[in-house]
């Protein structure tokens, strides 16, 4: 990751630290990124009983993450506990707290046949978005295709952070609900999360610039 960041050379952008990297390197990777001038989206998708999530969020806030998340499927009590843990006064600025609605690797067939949720994907996602909004979170993680609907039933200022972003020529991989940076902008995304289109590119810096050009906004995200 640090090799790619050096090639791109854009201090000030967000870097997403996912579960794999965090479990290998621990909190030091967050501190190192912060020391290098980056903002950090710590993408651990917490999902546990409210008390455990509350205590975990207290620790993540002290680590210095700028953005964290939970699974909306944990319910409103758990989400309120997450926000409460982040805002307990131990840090000057509370990290942005997001709720994951449904993973972008989930499709309608999986939702019904494996997760046993017998409702249309969009209905499930917008309901989870409403619960997150009512629970005091700052936004959701959703695909770009759901961003507009979630804002319509919550607030225009409720953040839509959208993974599953691919340049048009790139394979979708294990993602089901993908979009290009340009599509995401038109669909109402506030932040886009771009991984393999940059990290697997022959020239990551060039790929980054292409994403930024298509996105047409100043918020930068690089994933590990």
């Amino acid at each position: 990751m640090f090799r790619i960041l050096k090639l791109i050379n854009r201090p000030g952008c967000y870097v997403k630290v996912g579960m794999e990297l965090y479990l290998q390197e621990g909190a030091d990777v967050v501190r190192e990124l912060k020391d290098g001038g980056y903002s950090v989206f710590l993408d651990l998708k917490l999902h546990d009983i409210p008390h455990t999530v509350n205590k975990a969020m207290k620790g993540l806030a002290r680590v210095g993450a700028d953005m964290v998340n939970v699974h909306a499927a944990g319910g409103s009590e758990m989400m309120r506990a997450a926000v409460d843990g982040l805002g307990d006064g131990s840090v000057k600025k509370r990290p942005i707290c997001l709720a994951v609605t449904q993973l972008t690797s989930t499709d309608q067939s999986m939702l019904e046949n494996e997760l046993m949720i017998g409702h249309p994907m969009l209905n499930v996602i917008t309901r989870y978005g409403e619960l997150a909004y009512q629970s005091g979170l700052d936004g959701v993680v959703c695909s770009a295709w759901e961003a507009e609907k979630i804002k319509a039933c919550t607030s225009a200022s409720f953040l839509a952070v959208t993974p599953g972003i691919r340049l048009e020529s790139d394979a979708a991989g294990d993602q089901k609900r993908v979009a290009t940076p340009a599509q995401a902008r038109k669909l109402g995304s506030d932040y886009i999360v771009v991984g393999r289109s940059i990290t697997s590119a022959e020239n990551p810096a060039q790929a980054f610039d292409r994403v930024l050009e298509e996105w047409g906004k100043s918020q930068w995200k690089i994933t590990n």
Side-chain angles (χ1 to χ4, degrees), residues 69-118:
N69 58 8
V70 298
H71 268 292
S76 57
E77 184 180 353
M78 187 206 73
M79 288 190 278
R80 290 193 298 270
V83 175
D84 181 65
L86 291 172
D88 70 349
S90 62
V91 293
K92 291 182 179 179
K93 184 179 179 181
R94 177 177 73 76
I96 294 169
C97 189
L98 307 169
V100 178
T101 53
Q102 287 292 326
L103 299 176
T104 49
S105 58
T106 302
D107 59 14
Q108 187 66 39
S109 175
M110 182 189 296
L111 195 71
E112 295 179 9
N113 299 322
E114 296 185 22
L115 304 183
M116 301 298 289
I117 299 175

Side-chain angles (χ1 to χ4, degrees), residues 200-217:
S200 298
E202 185 175 340
N203 187 328
Q206 188 177 71
F208 180 92
D209 288 339
R210 183 179 166 192
V211 168
L212 193 61
E213 181 181 359
E214 286 195 22
W215 174 233
K217 291 190 177 182

Side-chain angles (χ1 to χ4, degrees), residues 125-162:
I125 288 171
T126 53
R127 178 55 180 152
Y128 283 6
E130 288 174 330
L131 286 174
Y133 180 71
Q134 294 162 6
S135 301
L137 275 69
D138 303 295
V140 293
V141 179
C142 63
S143 88
W145 302 99
E146 296 115 23
E148 185 177 11
K149 292 290 187 181
I150 288 176
K151 287 176 178 291
C153 67
T154 57
S155 166
S157 62
F158 195 56
L159 297 175
V161 177
T162 60

Side-chain angles (χ1 to χ4, degrees), residues 11 40 45 48 55 61 68-69 84 86 93 99 112-113 116 176 184 199 220:
V40 177
K45 303 181 181 71
D48 212 311
K55 297 299 183 184
V68 295
N69 58 8
D84 181 65
L86 291 172
K93 184 179 179 181
E112 295 179 9
N113 299 322
M116 301 298 289
K176 301 294 192 302
T199 59
W220 301 339

Side-chain angles (χ1 to χ4, degrees), residues 43 52 131 197:
D43 180 29
T52 298
L131 286 174
S197 283

